[in-house]
Amino acid sequence: MSYADHPRGPYSKPVMVYSGADQPSNSAPSTGDTNLAAVIFEDGSLTGMWRGDRKVAKHYGPVYQYQFRVSASNWKDPTTYVWGHALKPYNIFPQLVGPNDTTNCGIEDPTLWVDKAGIVHAVVHNWKAGGHAVSADRGKTWQWYGGNCSSATGPSSLDWTRSVWPPTINFTDQTSLYPHRRERPHLVIGNDGAVVALTTAVQLGNDHTFTLVQETHSSS
């Protein structure tokens, strides 16, 4: 981690926040890319979520990736970060995992923000749709408001009625697109703390993607 008061710097000296493994040994297998997303509170503390799976030496089996919580009492001090363990019992969305499932409905790319009431929100993509979760206790526990889905069943289990975005993109010129995937959600927040737009990476069926900025009608 390195930080600055301005995008052009100067930046602080980089420090290691996460070593790549949830075990203390320097030779422990990596848990994979964390996909970390977090928010920093006014008191300097931090809460967030990350994904991973605890591998063993010479790991060749399936990837068991779930979402986990991370917290820190001082976001600038890596010694205060608590990552927990990349194991299924610590998954923050256990209700989405069926008896034979090994992932959380394809959940990836969380983005977090805090509304005016102090509620922490998370938007993720799961398969083609978008999921929404909230925490009223600074990330200690999360309530899932996205659709019920199953990683074992796959995209056919999506509940579009509870998705953050619809399956079809309708433009003001009356044209429409039906994306193959929408990922990497981020929110544009106004000066009053309200969400004014959603950005996502849109894939139409090949490797080409574009960034879509979509106006919202949220007031919180």
Side-chain angles (χ1 to χ4, degrees):
M1 173 179 64
S2 181
Y3 54 87
D5 293 330
H6 191 277
R8 295 181 179 178
Y11 282 84
S12 65
K13 182 180 179 180
V15 294
M16 178 72 72
V17 177
Y18 183 70
S19 68
D22 67 333
Q23 302 170 77
S25 171
N26 291 331
S27 60
S30 170
T31 54
D33 60 289
T34 65
N35 222 203
L36 172 66
V39 291
I40 300 170
F41 299 105
E42 290 185 1
D43 62 3
S45 63
L46 172 147
T47 192
M49 64 175 63
W50 63 287
R51 71 173 184 186
D53 62 294
R54 178 179 286 188
K55 299 179 179 68
V56 297
K58 298 182 180 179
H59 175 85
Y60 298 106
V63 175
Y64 302 98
Q65 287 206 333
Y66 305 104
Q67 303 294 317
F68 309 102
R69 65 178 299 260
V70 59
S71 62
S73 57
N74 179 358
W75 71 270
K76 293 182 179 180
D77 182 356
T79 65
T80 69
Y81 281 68
V82 179
W83 293 88
H85 306 285
L87 297 170
K88 187 175 181 177
Y90 298 93
N91 168 30
I92 61 178
F93 298 123
Q95 68 273 34
L96 301 181
V97 183
N100 298 316
D101 286 1
T102 57
T103 57
N104 280 7
C105 293
I107 288 177
E108 284 188 305
D109 305 335
T111 184
L112 274 61
W113 83 99
V114 182
D115 68 20
K116 291 179 289 187
I119 305 298
V120 184
H121 297 256
V123 167
V124 301
H125 87 78
N126 57 296
W127 302 108
K128 297 181 180 182
H132 176 218
V134 300
S135 174
D137 54 10
R138 290 193 165 199
K140 294 182 178 67
T141 58
W142 289 89
Q143 177 67 46
W144 175 256
Y145 287 102
N148 296 322
C149 54
S150 162
S151 64
T153 305
S156 63
S157 67
L158 282 177
D159 180 359
W160 282 106
T161 65
R162 302 182 69 178
S163 174
V164 176
W165 52 79
T168 304
I169 302 171
N170 297 313
F171 295 95
T172 55
D173 64 359
Q174 309 306 311
T175 60
S176 299
L177 290 175
Y178 187 80
H180 174 65
R181 295 179 73 88
R182 288 182 72 173
E183 304 185 7
R184 311 293 192 270
H186 287 86
L187 282 304
V188 180
I189 310 297
N191 291 332
D192 61 352
V195 177
V196 296
L198 167 74
T199 71
T200 52
V202 176
Q203 183 184 17
L204 297 180
N206 51 38
D207 287 338
H208 299 160
T209 63
F210 64 90
T211 298
L212 175 74
V213 181
Q214 191 169 17
E215 185 180 9
T216 68
H217 301 284
S218 171
S219 60
S220 62

